[in-house]
Amino acid sequence: MKKLFLSVFALLFVFGACDPELNRLKQQADNITIIRDDFGVPHVYGKTDADAVFGLMYAQAEDDFPRIERNYVWAIGRLAEVEGEDALYSDLRARLFMTKEEAIQNYNNAPDWLKELCDAWADGLNYYLATHPEVEPMLLEKFEPWMPMYFSEGSIGGDIERVSTRRIQAFYEDKASLSLNEFGNGLTVVDPYEEPKGSNGIAISGDLTESGSAMLLINPHTSFYFRGEVHAVSEEGLNAYGAVTWGQFFIYQGFNENTGWMHTSTYTDVIDEFLQTIEEQDGKLMYKYGEEWREVQTNEVTLKYKDGSELKEKTFPTYRTHHGPITHMIDDQWVATAMMWEP
């Protein structure tokens, strides 16, 4: 086994022992030990749950920092700054459902225990960057503790990718409506006649296995490195072994000494669409809700995108009702799309 300690005294000399931020990160790193087994799987040991998250993210970054960074560049709506104008409507979709200000507010309103884990998430990644000057991020040179608020579940993409960027583009560029798919709901939905595939899980009782131990099988459709493998332990009682989506700090599917768990992404009813009746009244956009008229929330968002060696900008209006953001049109009616982010 290869044993790694996160205290890196030589690097403190390189980056400046007087840097209070680096000293703070180094002090937390001293509470953490990472042991990689013969398969390279990191076993992270910390005094607190936050220490375990710090070490978990540091180990993830060692394994695949570019994938972590890209997942968050996509999630916070800045992908076009890296990939160009074609990604603008992916960024607009991200900003329609959560702005940076909303993510910060969600973080500030979170319970203390969750804020501590989010702080440790950012600190672990930032400590990795501070101690690996050879790594050049594509965009994110510092991770912030509000960034995990963009993920409501463990799959990258998950629910939000079911909202069609083509319909968003048609509405926000031309106020145009695209024809509905055969399901008639305006979402991106799989063909029901395709060969079955996708997320699935199987639990097998120990009564049916040769070893006598229970087995959990999940997601044979994903690539081998689609998720990282990790073991996280803290002196506060955390003990979990399993898989994490790159960039997230909770073990998405796994087991400990008491139980096992797994998750599948399905087409259950987690998204609703609302046809909105819109009128302009006294210079304001209004929508009908029951017998009353309410004002449409209007705003603007300016997105940056890469164009050759330049960084250009494009500004879009945004519209929202209490149901959610306006994402497209069906015939001549605006559609607000709601996701189940508050079960």
Side-chain angles (χ1 to χ4, degrees), residues 272 274-276 287-289 320-325 336-339:
D272 291 313
F274 297 86
L275 290 172
Q276 308 284 201
Y287 69 100
K288 193 172 186 180
Y289 180 62
R320 175 184 290 270
T321 72
H322 75 283
H323 295 299
T337 301
M339 287 196 289

Side-chain angles (χ1 to χ4, degrees), residues 142-204:
K142 183 178 182 181
F143 289 82
E144 301 288 352
W146 46 264
M147 289 179 177
M149 296 295 152
Y150 281 89
F151 290 107
S152 63
E153 51 90 52
S155 288
I156 294 299
D159 304 331
I160 197 172
E161 286 196 324
R162 291 173 60 186
V163 180
S164 167
T165 54
R166 289 184 60 238
R167 288 190 169 83
I168 290 175
Q169 181 175 0
F171 178 79
Y172 280 97
E173 276 199 352
D174 305 313
K175 292 294 188 294
S177 171
L178 295 182
S179 61
L180 295 177
N181 61 37
E182 61 190 296
F183 285 81
N185 62 6
L187 297 176
T188 301
V189 183
V190 295
D191 182 345
Y193 300 106
E194 279 188 27
E195 183 70 21
K197 62 182 179 181
S199 194
N200 54 80
I202 303 169
I204 303 175

Side-chain angles (χ1 to χ4, degrees), residues 48-78:
T48 66
D49 290 350
D51 291 338
V53 168
F54 183 113
L56 187 156
M57 297 315 303
Y58 184 96
Q60 273 195 55
E62 285 185 314
D63 290 340
D64 200 339
F65 176 79
R67 196 183 309 201
I68 293 172
E69 184 187 14
R70 190 192 184 283
N71 283 344
Y72 277 88
V73 169
W74 171 86
I76 65 178
R78 297 183 63 186

Side-chain angles (χ1 to χ4, degrees), residues 54-323:
F54 183 113
L56 187 156
M57 297 315 303
Y58 184 96
Q60 273 195 55
E62 285 185 314
D63 290 340
D64 200 339
F65 176 79
R67 196 183 309 201
I68 293 172
E69 184 187 14
R70 190 192 184 283
N71 283 344
Y72 277 88
V73 169
W74 171 86
I76 65 178
R78 297 183 63 186
L79 189 60
E81 295 178 45
V82 176
E83 297 189 357
E85 192 172 7
D86 288 346
L88 267 178
Y89 293 95
S90 172
D91 289 351
L92 180 57
R93 177 178 61 187
R95 304 291 185 93
L96 286 173
F97 282 97
M98 186 175 292
T99 65
K100 176 181 175 180
E101 291 72 25
E102 288 170 330
I104 292 172
Q105 183 179 14
N106 287 341
Y107 165 79
N108 289 334
N109 292 339
D112 289 342
W113 65 265
L114 181 55
K115 284 197 280 192
E116 289 176 5
L117 299 185
C118 290
D119 291 344
W121 172 89
D123 287 344
L125 290 171
N126 291 330
Y127 189 64
Y128 170 80
L129 288 176
T131 55
H132 292 77
E134 74 281 3
V135 175
E136 297 183 4
M138 68 175 80
L139 185 67
L140 302 178
E141 296 184 353
K142 183 178 182 181
F143 289 82
E144 301 288 352
W146 46 264
M147 289 179 177
M149 296 295 152
Y150 281 89
F151 290 107
S152 63
E153 51 90 52
S155 288
I156 294 299
D159 304 331
I160 197 172
E161 286 196 324
R162 291 173 60 186
V163 180
S164 167
T165 54
R166 289 184 60 238
R167 288 190 169 83
I168 290 175
Q169 181 175 0
F171 178 79
Y172 280 97
E173 276 199 352
D174 305 313
K175 292 294 188 294
S177 171
L178 295 182
S179 61
L180 295 177
N181 61 37
E182 61 190 296
F183 285 81
N185 62 6
L187 297 176
T188 301
V189 183
V190 295
D191 182 345
Y193 300 106
E194 279 188 27
E195 183 70 21
K197 62 182 179 181
S199 194
N200 54 80
I202 303 169
I204 303 175
S205 166
D207 293 338
L208 302 175
T209 65
E210 185 174 342
S211 67
S213 298
M215 296 179 66
L216 296 178
L217 308 176
I218 186 168
N219 288 347
H221 67 293
T222 60
S223 61
F224 189 78
Y225 293 107
F226 185 75
R227 292 192 175 96
E229 189 172 343
V230 67
H231 182 202
V233 181
S234 84
E235 294 177 14
E236 293 182 333
L238 173 67
N239 181 26
Y241 186 107
V244 289
T245 297
W246 296 103
Q248 297 187 3
F249 62 77
F250 52 91
I251 294 180
Y252 191 44
Q253 53 221 24
F255 64 92
N256 61 17
E257 67 275 23
N258 298 313
T259 190
W261 59 94
M262 54 185 165
H263 172 282
T264 58
S265 297
T266 69
Y267 283 99
T268 52
D269 182 16
V270 294
I271 296 180
D272 291 313
E273 293 190 330
F274 297 86
L275 290 172
Q276 308 284 201
T277 299
I278 305 290
E279 285 188 7
E280 186 172 338
Q281 300 177 8
D282 299 324
K284 297 179 180 179
L285 285 176
M286 309 293 290
Y287 69 100
K288 193 172 186 180
Y289 180 62
E291 297 301 316
E292 66 175 302
W293 288 90
R294 298 184 177 185
E295 186 174 354
V296 176
Q297 300 174 40
T298 60
N299 213 323
E300 282 190 346
V301 59
T302 298
L303 302 176
K304 297 179 180 179
Y305 64 95
K306 184 179 179 181
D307 184 11
S309 60
E310 296 183 78
L311 203 59
K312 296 183 178 179
E313 293 183 348
K314 190 168 185 177
T315 299
F316 297 90
T318 62
Y319 308 98
R320 175 184 290 270
T321 72
H322 75 283
H323 295 299

